[in-house]
Amino acid sequence: MISLHTSPLDQPGTGDAGGMNVYVVELARRMAARGIEVDVFTRATSSRLDPVVPAFDGVQVRHIHAGPFEGLSKEQLPAQLCAFAREVLRAEASQPLGHYDVVHSHYWLSGQVGALARDRWGVPLVHSMHTMAKVKNEFLADGDTPEPIARIIGEEQVVEAADMLIANTELEAKQLIGLYDADPARVEVVHPGVDLDVFRPHDRAATRAELGLPADASVLLFAGRIQPLKAPDVLLRAVAELLATSPDLRSRLVVPIVGGPSGSGLEHPESLAQLAAELGLDGPDGVVRFVPPVGQAELARWYAAATLVAVPSYNESFGLVAAEAQATGTPVVAAAVGGLTTVVADGRSGLLVDTHDPRDWAAALRRVVTDDDLRLRLEAGALEQARSFSWERTAERTLDVYARAQAELREAV
């Protein structure tokens, strides 16, 4: 696997680490459990990192030196593709002939390197986009920066070069075909999964006590990278609207924001805290709590302690946060965009909101907070919906894609 711009060892929720990191780790783990050895190539971001780090039994992360260890943004990484590709090829050259059977690249930067490795090694390239520039630009958040034309061209090249493309959802498959002219015969839909051993229901009262949350609070949780694309500001504005029309809720409302700044959010890392203060949601009697990024087990506890989890993103290729939250039995209020329309069953495991208007979001939040019967139905539906997503099934389907790509490559030779 190639994951150039973000390491599977990084903590999700800050920097460029997010759902893709979880995807690579969980998929690699499940494949290793089936006896398949997995090497993950990623760019080294510290001189203290060992060249090869065993992540799990059968999975090792190879740190490739390409450019300065620190200070490079994702937008500057295309200049390091040649150096990264050279070191990937050099690493493979030290192995016996035919060491790798498949290259699976994640994100377009990795796909550029994967295409070169594919041609040199004579093995198929399977690519997962995770996000697409044309889609992001179509659903751009206010004040966010459009993806550059260089990325769009790079993505088009990867789509053309890949032997197989894995889409997270049927909608993503249609976008690959419609926006990038992908061959429909080379696109397969494989849903990501959820670790149901980690993300599971907890005793809510006990978990809230451990996290310092009031037992009777209405907890509206946001988890993820703090950047315009993820739209945590929409949640804060909706909460302000909710309190303006229902001031009696203030005494029992808690809004944890779990995560760190990322992407264009790094330009103004304090902007969300400033917005909370401007809206009167911060301070001694405020309702907002900022929580640094946490590991998977701790994140599961935050989900389980919440009344609902809000996912107001402008776009999501899948929406792992929504899937994980539902696995703990917590309903999700999400934007009706991208993969969220697949992950969240509207009216059964959560509510989908068609706009990013804070008034519409406030109305949806109010329904879940004030209607006990609805909330209980959604909690039961959330657990049921989460059972349809498992990493074991994801690994099985992905291996089928690998096998098909290998077979077709052999036929073509």
Side-chain angles (χ1 to χ4, degrees), residues 2-20:
I2 302 176
S3 179
L4 186 155
H5 80 284
T6 178
S7 170
L9 302 178
D10 290 346
Q11 169 66 59
T14 189
D16 287 318
M20 195 184 92

Side-chain angles (χ1 to χ4, degrees), residues 84-411:
F84 187 91
R86 181 184 67 242
E87 295 305 315
V88 169
L89 296 179
R90 181 176 294 174
E92 187 272 346
S94 66
Q95 303 290 346
L97 190 65
H99 181 68
Y100 294 115
D101 301 293
V102 174
V103 177
H104 188 170
S105 53
H106 300 269
Y107 193 69
W108 77 275
L109 292 170
S110 302
Q112 291 279 320
V113 178
L116 179 61
R118 170 201 186 277
D119 293 341
R120 287 291 298 271
W121 301 344
V123 300
L125 171 64
V126 176
H127 182 73
S128 296
M129 295 292 279
H130 293 284
T131 63
M132 292 178 278
K134 292 181 181 180
V135 176
K136 289 183 72 173
N137 287 349
E138 186 176 344
F139 299 98
L140 206 63
D142 291 340
D144 209 354
T145 305
E147 294 296 321
I149 187 64
R151 175 179 171 180
I152 293 174
I153 293 171
E155 289 179 341
E156 291 173 340
Q157 292 169 341
V158 172
V159 168
E160 183 178 0
D163 295 280
M164 291 296 298
L165 295 159
I166 291 181
N168 287 333
T169 63
E170 288 77 6
L171 175 59
E172 186 180 349
K174 291 177 181 178
Q175 290 166 337
L176 278 167
I177 296 165
L179 297 176
Y180 289 85
D181 200 27
D183 180 355
R186 294 190 295 113
V187 180
E188 287 285 351
V189 176
V190 180
H191 296 317
V194 177
D195 189 336
L196 299 177
D197 292 328
V198 173
F199 296 97
R200 54 182 175 75
H202 293 61
D203 182 290
R204 181 165 289 171
T207 304
R208 285 188 172 188
E210 293 166 0
L211 295 174
L213 297 169
D216 62 345
S218 293
V219 180
L220 316 184
L221 176 73
F222 171 91
R225 290 173 288 165
I226 298 175
Q227 59 177 194
L229 175 69
K230 302 296 182 180
D233 62 296
V234 171
L235 174 60
L236 295 192
R237 296 180 193 280
V239 169
E241 185 78 24
L242 180 63
L243 292 177
T245 55
S246 305
D248 55 303
L249 290 175
R250 178 176 282 271
S251 62
R252 62 185 182 91
L253 200 63
V254 181
V255 184
I257 306 293
V258 182
S262 170
S264 55
L266 290 168
E267 298 172 9
H268 306 286
E270 300 300 321
S271 61
L272 197 65
Q274 293 169 356
L275 177 62
E278 292 169 8
L279 295 173
L281 303 177
D282 208 352
D285 62 341
V287 299
V288 173
R289 298 188 186 182
F290 289 96
V291 181
V294 297
Q296 296 282 280
E298 185 74 359
L299 182 59
R301 296 170 69 231
W302 277 101
Y303 287 148
T307 305
L308 63 84
V309 171
V311 188
S313 304
Y314 283 91
N315 188 58
E316 290 283 353
S317 62
F318 182 66
L320 273 177
V321 165
E324 291 168 349
Q326 290 176 152
T328 69
T330 298
V332 172
V333 177
V337 298
L340 291 169
T341 59
T342 296
V343 176
V344 179
D346 189 28
R348 290 193 291 114
S349 68
L351 300 179
L352 292 173
V353 183
D354 289 329
T355 76
H356 288 86
D357 188 320
R359 292 168 296 183
D360 296 332
W361 273 81
L365 299 176
R366 184 183 293 107
R367 287 183 62 194
V368 180
V369 167
T370 61
D371 189 334
D372 293 340
D373 290 338
L374 171 64
R375 186 172 63 256
L376 289 173
R377 289 199 307 273
L378 294 179
E379 288 174 356
L383 283 173
E384 180 181 355
Q385 178 74 353
R387 293 191 192 102
S388 62
F389 304 108
S390 77
W391 285 116
E392 286 74 15
R393 188 177 298 117
T394 303
E396 183 178 338
R397 290 278 294 109
T398 302
L399 289 173
D400 289 342
V401 175
Y402 291 174
R404 178 182 162 192
Q406 288 176 309
E408 292 184 0
L409 185 62
R410 284 194 297 268
E411 291 175 7

